[in-house]
Amino acid sequence: MAEAQMMLNWSEVDEVRTYGDWIVTTRSDQAVRHLMDRHYSRVTIGATQFTRPGENIVLRTADCSAVFIAWRTKYKRKDGYDCIENTAFRNESTYQSSDLIKMAVYAIVDIWGKLPTDGLLTYVSPNAVKSENPGYCYEKAGFIRQKKRSTRGLIPFLTSEKAMDLVLEEMGAVHILNACQRNIVAALESGEYMEAYEFQSLAEQQMFKLNGLKQSMKEMKLKAWSSYEKPFTKLDLDLVTDPYNHWMLDTKYFERKGLVLNA
């Protein structure tokens, strides 16, 4: 997972460890407790403790509108899995759930190291979520729905470290692709046309990489895929930078991609 880590570096600011939009917090964080009181898995609403006994990683967003909890035990599990379990995930934020889950898994591997034999597990209650496709956000994050349900009718979803390597590489490529598009726009607006072409070339490389990753994910039967908009093409740049071709410009097309053209 070394390459993915280079693309998705986390930082420590004032000793607060962050992973993307996640902040690592503690099992005594009462803001998280209030959010967990609204989660369907909550046993005792208002109880100070909201995690299971054992080792836990608790992640929250800055405004505590989302929480993700991972748990592991040294004892043998009743379901027979050798895994880390995501015991709770609640998202009341504007962030896309699948993106939050992807980054949460990255955080778990970074903090606890290599995933166990069966990877990372979560259970979804089909009767307690509003989605018509329970657990779909996990599938979009690289988890695979398991056929056998728990004794309580919960649906298990598993992901492996190999699957997450692909998912995180894809996230990194999309991040670079979006950055290329922003830099192309900035370069065009400042008249740095050669620089715009350099970023466009880098964007094409990322598109090629994404096509390869998509094929690898398909072979592993992974549904994980981030939505993104294709950046400017070389032809787009040729039209913008050549004043003799300006009559061919579709200004609405360029405005949708962030570039406002002067009349």
Side-chain angles (χ1 to χ4, degrees):
M1 196 171 287
E3 184 177 355
Q5 286 179 335
M6 290 178 65
M7 293 185 293
L8 299 167
N9 279 341
W10 53 271
S11 62
E12 291 186 2
V13 181
D14 295 331
E15 298 183 355
V16 175
R17 184 177 291 184
T18 61
Y19 293 86
D21 296 305
W22 288 122
I23 298 171
V24 180
T25 186
T26 68
R27 61 199 302 170
S28 61
D29 189 325
Q30 293 305 292
V32 174
R33 191 264 294 173
H34 286 294
L35 185 59
M36 281 297 299
D37 281 346
R38 297 192 289 276
H39 193 264
Y40 69 80
S41 67
R42 188 74 154 128
V43 176
T44 307
I45 295 175
T48 303
Q49 292 295 320
F50 52 82
T51 62
R52 295 181 185 176
E55 292 185 90
N56 290 270
I57 293 175
V58 182
L59 305 172
R60 56 167 282 185
T61 53
D63 61 357
C64 207
S65 57
V67 60
F68 188 102
I69 300 174
W71 169 75
R72 68 180 180 181
T73 178
K74 62 182 179 180
Y75 302 106
K76 187 176 180 180
R77 295 174 56 94
K78 292 182 180 179
D79 56 16
Y81 288 114
D82 176 22
C83 67
I84 292 170
E85 184 178 347
N86 165 216
T87 56
F89 172 55
R90 186 170 183 85
N91 181 18
E92 296 181 0
S93 73
T94 57
Y95 300 114
Q96 190 168 333
S97 291
S98 58
D99 287 343
L100 287 174
I101 295 169
K102 290 174 186 178
M103 188 56 71
V105 178
Y106 169 75
I108 291 164
V109 174
D110 189 73
I111 295 170
W112 278 345
K114 186 177 178 64
L115 291 176
T117 303
D118 293 321
L120 183 67
L121 167 76
T122 194
Y123 283 105
V124 175
S125 171
N127 301 320
V129 295
K130 296 180 181 179
S131 173
E132 295 181 358
N133 188 0
Y136 184 63
C137 61
Y138 282 93
E139 291 183 295
K140 290 291 287 181
F143 286 67
I144 297 177
R145 183 190 298 255
Q146 306 301 298
K147 293 181 180 179
K148 186 178 180 181
R149 296 195 180 191
S150 75
T151 54
R152 292 188 294 148
L154 305 180
I155 306 170
F157 291 82
L158 276 172
T159 191
S160 65
E161 194 159 329
K162 183 178 180 181
M164 288 312 302
D165 280 344
L166 285 175
V167 170
L168 291 171
E169 276 196 72
E170 183 261 357
M171 283 182 68
V174 169
H175 175 76
I176 294 173
L177 193 67
N178 291 334
C180 284
Q181 178 65 8
R182 292 193 298 271
N183 287 325
I184 290 170
V185 170
L188 290 174
E189 289 177 340
S190 62
E192 299 290 340
Y193 295 153
M194 290 301 296
E195 188 173 330
Y197 277 97
E198 290 175 1
F199 281 116
Q200 196 281 325
S201 177
L202 177 58
E204 285 188 352
Q205 294 174 28
Q206 296 305 308
M207 288 296 297
F208 180 80
K209 180 177 182 178
L210 281 168
N211 288 334
L213 289 170
K214 190 170 187 177
Q215 181 59 36
S216 297
M217 287 184 178
K218 185 177 180 181
E219 292 170 0
M220 291 187 67
K221 299 181 179 180
L222 298 178
K223 296 182 181 180
W225 196 249
S226 299
S227 59
Y228 63 88
E229 187 175 1
K230 292 182 179 180
F232 286 134
T233 65
K234 185 176 182 300
L235 178 59
D236 291 334
L237 299 192
D238 290 343
L239 291 175
V240 172
T241 58
D242 187 348
Y244 296 103
N245 288 325
H246 280 188
W247 64 273
M248 299 173 62
L249 293 174
D250 181 347
T251 55
K252 290 184 178 179
Y253 163 78
F254 286 94
E255 286 176 4
R256 284 198 305 270
K257 289 182 173 289
L259 180 64
V260 178
L261 299 169
N262 296 323

